[in-house]
PDB file of all heavy atoms in Angstrom:
ATOM      1  N   SER T 626      78.006  28.206 -68.989  1.00  0.00           N
ATOM      2  CA  SER T 626      76.813  27.513 -68.506  1.00  0.00           C
ATOM      3  C   SER T 626      77.124  26.931 -67.136  1.00  0.00           C
ATOM      4  O   SER T 626      78.144  26.264 -66.963  1.00  0.00           O
ATOM      5  CB  SER T 626      76.416  26.371 -69.446  1.00  0.00           C
ATOM      6  OG  SER T 626      76.127  26.867 -70.726  1.00  0.00           O
ATOM      7  N   LYS T 627      76.256  27.180 -66.176  1.00  0.00           N
ATOM      8  CA  LYS T 627      76.453  26.662 -64.831  1.00  0.00           C
ATOM      9  C   LYS T 627      75.226  25.856 -64.446  1.00  0.00           C
ATOM     10  O   LYS T 627      74.104  26.357 -64.529  1.00  0.00           O
ATOM     11  CB  LYS T 627      76.688  27.786 -63.834  1.00  0.00           C
ATOM     12  CG  LYS T 627      76.956  27.262 -62.453  1.00  0.00           C
ATOM     13  CD  LYS T 627      77.492  28.318 -61.523  1.00  0.00           C
ATOM     14  CE  LYS T 627      77.700  27.676 -60.178  1.00  0.00           C
ATOM     15  NZ  LYS T 627      78.917  27.998 -59.542  1.00  0.00           N
ATOM     16  N   LEU T 628      75.453  24.627 -64.044  1.00  0.00           N
ATOM     17  CA  LEU T 628      74.374  23.749 -63.608  1.00  0.00           C
ATOM     18  C   LEU T 628      74.591  23.414 -62.139  1.00  0.00           C
ATOM     19  O   LEU T 628      75.717  23.106 -61.729  1.00  0.00           O
ATOM     20  CB  LEU T 628      74.351  22.464 -64.435  1.00  0.00           C
ATOM     21  CG  LEU T 628      74.188  22.647 -65.939  1.00  0.00           C
ATOM     22  CD1 LEU T 628      74.350  21.322 -66.650  1.00  0.00           C
ATOM     23  CD2 LEU T 628      72.831  23.248 -66.248  1.00  0.00           C
ATOM     24  N   GLU T 629      73.522  23.453 -61.360  1.00  0.00           N
ATOM     25  CA  GLU T 629      73.596  23.151 -59.936  1.00  0.00           C
ATOM     26  C   GLU T 629      72.475  22.200 -59.563  1.00  0.00           C
ATOM     27  O   GLU T 629      71.367  22.289 -60.100  1.00  0.00           O
ATOM     28  CB  GLU T 629      73.472  24.422 -59.109  1.00  0.00           C
ATOM     29  CG  GLU T 629      74.569  25.430 -59.353  1.00  0.00           C
ATOM     30  CD  GLU T 629      74.351  26.723 -58.583  1.00  0.00           C
ATOM     31  OE1 GLU T 629      73.205  26.989 -58.164  1.00  0.00           O
ATOM     32  OE2 GLU T 629      75.328  27.461 -58.405  1.00  0.00           O
ATOM     33  N   ALA T 630      72.769  21.293 -58.630  1.00  0.00           N
ATOM     34  CA  ALA T 630      71.760  20.376 -58.113  1.00  0.00           C
ATOM     35  C   ALA T 630      71.979  20.245 -56.603  1.00  0.00           C
ATOM     36  O   ALA T 630      72.893  19.559 -56.157  1.00  0.00           O
ATOM     37  CB  ALA T 630      71.849  19.018 -58.791  1.00  0.00           C
ATOM     38  N   ALA T 631      71.160  20.941 -55.830  1.00  0.00           N
ATOM     39  CA  ALA T 631      71.261  20.874 -54.376  1.00  0.00           C
ATOM     40  C   ALA T 631      70.574  19.605 -53.874  1.00  0.00           C
ATOM     41  O   ALA T 631      69.474  19.270 -54.310  1.00  0.00           O
ATOM     42  CB  ALA T 631      70.622  22.107 -53.746  1.00  0.00           C
ATOM     43  N   GLY T 632      71.226  18.883 -52.996  1.00  0.00           N
ATOM     44  CA  GLY T 632      70.635  17.676 -52.424  1.00  0.00           C
ATOM     45  C   GLY T 632      70.469  16.547 -53.424  1.00  0.00           C
ATOM     46  O   GLY T 632      69.555  15.735 -53.308  1.00  0.00           O
ATOM     47  N   ALA T 633      71.353  16.480 -54.399  1.00  0.00           N
ATOM     48  CA  ALA T 633      71.253  15.443 -55.435  1.00  0.00           C
ATOM     49  C   ALA T 633      71.715  14.090 -54.894  1.00  0.00           C
ATOM     50  O   ALA T 633      72.560  14.015 -54.005  1.00  0.00           O
ATOM     51  CB  ALA T 633      72.110  15.817 -56.634  1.00  0.00           C
ATOM     52  N   GLN T 634      71.161  13.037 -55.425  1.00  0.00           N
ATOM     53  CA  GLN T 634      71.610  11.694 -55.079  1.00  0.00           C
ATOM     54  C   GLN T 634      72.389  11.136 -56.256  1.00  0.00           C
ATOM     55  O   GLN T 634      71.967  11.255 -57.405  1.00  0.00           O
ATOM     56  CB  GLN T 634      70.425  10.775 -54.774  1.00  0.00           C
ATOM     57  CG  GLN T 634      69.715  11.131 -53.495  1.00  0.00           C
ATOM     58  CD  GLN T 634      68.644  10.119 -53.173  1.00  0.00           C
ATOM     59  OE1 GLN T 634      67.927   9.661 -54.061  1.00  0.00           O
ATOM     60  NE2 GLN T 634      68.544   9.763 -51.902  1.00  0.00           N
ATOM     61  N   TYR T 635      73.524  10.520 -55.961  1.00  0.00           N
ATOM     62  CA  TYR T 635      74.343   9.909 -57.001  1.00  0.00           C
ATOM     63  C   TYR T 635      75.065   8.709 -56.420  1.00  0.00           C
ATOM     64  O   TYR T 635      75.213   8.573 -55.205  1.00  0.00           O
ATOM     65  CB  TYR T 635      75.341  10.918 -57.576  1.00  0.00           C
ATOM     66  CG  TYR T 635      76.311  11.484 -56.564  1.00  0.00           C
ATOM     67  CD1 TYR T 635      77.571  10.921 -56.408  1.00  0.00           C
ATOM     68  CD2 TYR T 635      75.962  12.573 -55.780  1.00  0.00           C
ATOM     69  CE1 TYR T 635      78.461  11.427 -55.476  1.00  0.00           C
ATOM     70  CE2 TYR T 635      76.849  13.092 -54.858  1.00  0.00           C
ATOM     71  CZ  TYR T 635      78.093  12.509 -54.707  1.00  0.00           C
ATOM     72  OH  TYR T 635      78.973  13.010 -53.788  1.00  0.00           O
ATOM     73  N   PHE T 636      75.513   7.816 -57.310  1.00  0.00           N
ATOM     74  CA  PHE T 636      76.218   6.616 -56.872  1.00  0.00           C
ATOM     75  C   PHE T 636      77.702   6.916 -56.752  1.00  0.00           C
ATOM     76  O   PHE T 636      78.338   7.356 -57.701  1.00  0.00           O
ATOM     77  CB  PHE T 636      75.998   5.462 -57.856  1.00  0.00           C
ATOM     78  CG  PHE T 636      76.630   4.180 -57.394  1.00  0.00           C
ATOM     79  CD1 PHE T 636      76.032   3.430 -56.391  1.00  0.00           C
ATOM     80  CD2 PHE T 636      77.825   3.748 -57.938  1.00  0.00           C
ATOM     81  CE1 PHE T 636      76.615   2.255 -55.952  1.00  0.00           C
ATOM     82  CE2 PHE T 636      78.418   2.582 -57.500  1.00  0.00           C
ATOM     83  CZ  PHE T 636      77.804   1.828 -56.508  1.00  0.00           C
ATOM     84  N   SER T 637      78.244   6.694 -55.569  1.00  0.00           N
ATOM     85  CA  SER T 637      79.662   6.906 -55.315  1.00  0.00           C
ATOM     86  C   SER T 637      80.412   5.609 -55.570  1.00  0.00           C
ATOM     87  O   SER T 637      80.177   4.599 -54.888  1.00  0.00           O
ATOM     88  CB  SER T 637      79.891   7.353 -53.874  1.00  0.00           C
ATOM     89  OG  SER T 637      81.263   7.311 -53.558  1.00  0.00           O
ATOM     90  N   ILE T 638      81.304   5.632 -56.559  1.00  0.00           N
ATOM     91  CA  ILE T 638      82.107   4.437 -56.852  1.00  0.00           C
ATOM     92  C   ILE T 638      83.044   4.139 -55.686  1.00  0.00           C
ATOM     93  O   ILE T 638      83.277   2.989 -55.339  1.00  0.00           O
ATOM     94  CB  ILE T 638      82.896   4.625 -58.164  1.00  0.00           C
ATOM     95  CG1 ILE T 638      81.925   4.747 -59.327  1.00  0.00           C
ATOM     96  CG2 ILE T 638      83.869   3.484 -58.388  1.00  0.00           C
ATOM     97  CD1 ILE T 638      82.569   5.082 -60.647  1.00  0.00           C
ATOM     98  N   GLY T 639      83.580   5.177 -55.041  1.00  0.00           N
ATOM     99  CA  GLY T 639      84.487   4.978 -53.910  1.00  0.00           C
ATOM    100  C   GLY T 639      83.805   4.351 -52.711  1.00  0.00           C
ATOM    101  O   GLY T 639      84.380   3.504 -52.020  1.00  0.00           O
ATOM    102  N   ASP T 640      82.541   4.759 -52.434  1.00  0.00           N
ATOM    103  CA  ASP T 640      81.805   4.243 -51.278  1.00  0.00           C
ATOM    104  C   ASP T 640      80.913   3.051 -51.627  1.00  0.00           C
ATOM    105  O   ASP T 640      80.388   2.391 -50.731  1.00  0.00           O
ATOM    106  CB  ASP T 640      80.937   5.339 -50.668  1.00  0.00           C
ATOM    107  CG  ASP T 640      81.752   6.508 -50.134  1.00  0.00           C
ATOM    108  OD1 ASP T 640      82.901   6.291 -49.706  1.00  0.00           O
ATOM    109  OD2 ASP T 640      81.233   7.643 -50.156  1.00  0.00           O
ATOM    110  N   LEU T 641      80.721   2.818 -52.927  1.00  0.00           N
ATOM    111  CA  LEU T 641      79.849   1.752 -53.425  1.00  0.00           C
ATOM    112  C   LEU T 641      78.439   1.856 -52.854  1.00  0.00           C
ATOM    113  O   LEU T 641      77.823   0.866 -52.458  1.00  0.00           O
ATOM    114  CB  LEU T 641      80.449   0.368 -53.147  1.00  0.00           C
ATOM    115  CG  LEU T 641      81.766   0.076 -53.870  1.00  0.00           C
ATOM    116  CD1 LEU T 641      82.297  -1.284 -53.460  1.00  0.00           C
ATOM    117  CD2 LEU T 641      81.590   0.152 -55.380  1.00  0.00           C
ATOM    118  N   LYS T 642      77.926   3.092 -52.804  1.00  0.00           N
ATOM    119  CA  LYS T 642      76.560   3.299 -52.344  1.00  0.00           C
ATOM    120  C   LYS T 642      76.049   4.635 -52.876  1.00  0.00           C
ATOM    121  O   LYS T 642      76.817   5.461 -53.370  1.00  0.00           O
ATOM    122  CB  LYS T 642      76.483   3.268 -50.820  1.00  0.00           C
ATOM    123  CG  LYS T 642      77.235   4.394 -50.144  1.00  0.00           C
ATOM    124  CD  LYS T 642      77.097   4.317 -48.627  1.00  0.00           C
ATOM    125  CE  LYS T 642      77.799   5.506 -47.983  1.00  0.00           C
ATOM    126  NZ  LYS T 642      77.634   5.507 -46.537  1.00  0.00           N
ATOM    127  N   VAL T 643      74.754   4.826 -52.755  1.00  0.00           N
ATOM    128  CA  VAL T 643      74.129   6.085 -53.153  1.00  0.00           C
ATOM    129  C   VAL T 643      74.362   7.095 -52.030  1.00  0.00           C
ATOM    130  O   VAL T 643      74.118   6.800 -50.852  1.00  0.00           O
ATOM    131  CB  VAL T 643      72.620   5.904 -53.424  1.00  0.00           C
ATOM    132  CG1 VAL T 643      71.959   7.243 -53.714  1.00  0.00           C
ATOM    133  CG2 VAL T 643      72.401   4.938 -54.574  1.00  0.00           C
ATOM    134  N   VAL T 644      74.853   8.253 -52.383  1.00  0.00           N
ATOM    135  CA  VAL T 644      75.089   9.320 -51.407  1.00  0.00           C
ATOM    136  C   VAL T 644      74.336  10.580 -51.844  1.00  0.00           C
ATOM    137  O   VAL T 644      73.940  10.706 -53.002  1.00  0.00           O
ATOM    138  CB  VAL T 644      76.600   9.629 -51.245  1.00  0.00           C
ATOM    139  CG1 VAL T 644      77.325   8.449 -50.642  1.00  0.00           C
ATOM    140  CG2 VAL T 644      77.226  10.015 -52.563  1.00  0.00           C
ATOM    141  N   THR T 645      74.151  11.495 -50.920  1.00  0.00           N
ATOM    142  CA  THR T 645      73.461  12.747 -51.193  1.00  0.00           C
ATOM    143  C   THR T 645      74.430  13.899 -51.004  1.00  0.00           C
ATOM    144  O   THR T 645      75.203  13.913 -50.047  1.00  0.00           O
ATOM    145  CB  THR T 645      72.257  12.922 -50.244  1.00  0.00           C
ATOM    146  OG1 THR T 645      71.369  11.825 -50.416  1.00  0.00           O
ATOM    147  CG2 THR T 645      71.511  14.217 -50.532  1.00  0.00           C
ATOM    148  N   GLY T 646      74.412  14.823 -51.923  1.00  0.00           N
ATOM    149  CA  GLY T 646      75.284  15.983 -51.818  1.00  0.00           C
ATOM    150  C   GLY T 646      74.916  17.025 -52.853  1.00  0.00           C
ATOM    151  O   GLY T 646      74.071  16.802 -53.712  1.00  0.00           O
ATOM    152  N   ASP T 647      75.546  18.166 -52.756  1.00  0.00           N
ATOM    153  CA  ASP T 647      75.319  19.242 -53.719  1.00  0.00           C
ATOM    154  C   ASP T 647      76.299  19.079 -54.883  1.00  0.00           C
ATOM    155  O   ASP T 647      77.490  18.840 -54.669  1.00  0.00           O
ATOM    156  CB  ASP T 647      75.526  20.604 -53.065  1.00  0.00           C
ATOM    157  CG  ASP T 647      74.509  20.874 -51.969  1.00  0.00           C
ATOM    158  OD1 ASP T 647      73.435  20.231 -51.988  1.00  0.00           O
ATOM    159  OD2 ASP T 647      74.780  21.726 -51.109  1.00  0.00           O
ATOM    160  N   LEU T 648      75.799  19.181 -56.109  1.00  0.00           N
ATOM    161  CA  LEU T 648      76.622  19.039 -57.309  1.00  0.00           C
ATOM    162  C   LEU T 648      76.565  20.335 -58.103  1.00  0.00           C
ATOM    163  O   LEU T 648      75.526  20.994 -58.162  1.00  0.00           O
ATOM    164  CB  LEU T 648      76.111  17.900 -58.194  1.00  0.00           C
ATOM    165  CG  LEU T 648      76.030  16.511 -57.563  1.00  0.00           C
ATOM    166  CD1 LEU T 648      75.377  15.544 -58.539  1.00  0.00           C
ATOM    167  CD2 LEU T 648      77.404  16.035 -57.155  1.00  0.00           C
ATOM    168  N   ASP T 649      77.686  20.702 -58.709  1.00  0.00           N
ATOM    169  CA  ASP T 649      77.683  21.832 -59.635  1.00  0.00           C
ATOM    170  C   ASP T 649      78.797  21.655 -60.653  1.00  0.00           C
ATOM    171  O   ASP T 649      79.793  20.996 -60.392  1.00  0.00           O
ATOM    172  CB  ASP T 649      77.820  23.174 -58.906  1.00  0.00           C
ATOM    173  CG  ASP T 649      79.164  23.341 -58.231  1.00  0.00           C
ATOM    174  OD1 ASP T 649      80.148  23.638 -58.931  1.00  0.00           O
ATOM    175  OD2 ASP T 649      79.226  23.182 -56.999  1.00  0.00           O
ATOM    176  N   ILE T 650      78.566  22.200 -61.824  1.00  0.00           N
ATOM    177  CA  ILE T 650      79.559  22.176 -62.890  1.00  0.00           C
ATOM    178  C   ILE T 650      79.418  23.478 -63.685  1.00  0.00           C
ATOM    179  O   ILE T 650      78.314  23.974 -63.890  1.00  0.00           O
ATOM    180  CB  ILE T 650      79.410  20.959 -63.824  1.00  0.00           C
ATOM    181  CG1 ILE T 650      80.535  20.932 -64.845  1.00  0.00           C
ATOM    182  CG2 ILE T 650      78.052  20.937 -64.488  1.00  0.00           C
ATOM    183  CD1 ILE T 650      80.626  19.655 -65.662  1.00  0.00           C
ATOM    184  N   THR T 651      80.542  24.009 -64.082  1.00  0.00           N
ATOM    185  CA  THR T 651      80.570  25.201 -64.930  1.00  0.00           C
ATOM    186  C   THR T 651      81.322  24.850 -66.209  1.00  0.00           C
ATOM    187  O   THR T 651      82.432  24.335 -66.147  1.00  0.00           O
ATOM    188  CB  THR T 651      81.271  26.369 -64.212  1.00  0.00           C
ATOM    189  OG1 THR T 651      80.570  26.644 -62.994  1.00  0.00           O
ATOM    190  CG2 THR T 651      81.275  27.614 -65.076  1.00  0.00           C
ATOM    191  N   VAL T 652      80.698  25.097 -67.342  1.00  0.00           N
ATOM    192  CA  VAL T 652      81.306  24.815 -68.640  1.00  0.00           C
ATOM    193  C   VAL T 652      81.453  26.135 -69.398  1.00  0.00           C
ATOM    194  O   VAL T 652      80.487  26.875 -69.547  1.00  0.00           O
ATOM    195  CB  VAL T 652      80.458  23.822 -69.458  1.00  0.00           C
ATOM    196  CG1 VAL T 652      81.069  23.590 -70.830  1.00  0.00           C
ATOM    197  CG2 VAL T 652      80.305  22.510 -68.717  1.00  0.00           C
TER     198      VAL T 652
END
């Protein structure tokens, strides 16, 4: 199963802010 999210927003613990980027995971 492959999930992709182009231009997703997520909270970065390292930056302590919401960032935008492409996410993907393959299970």
Side-chain angles (χ1 to χ4, degrees):
S626 299
K627 183 167 179 136
L628 302 173
E629 298 176 340
Q634 291 186 319
Y635 60 95
F636 184 76
S637 169
I638 295 174
D640 297 330
L641 296 177
K642 65 179 183 177
V643 175
V644 294
T645 301
D647 296 339
L648 302 174
D649 66 78
I650 184 170
T651 301
V652 177

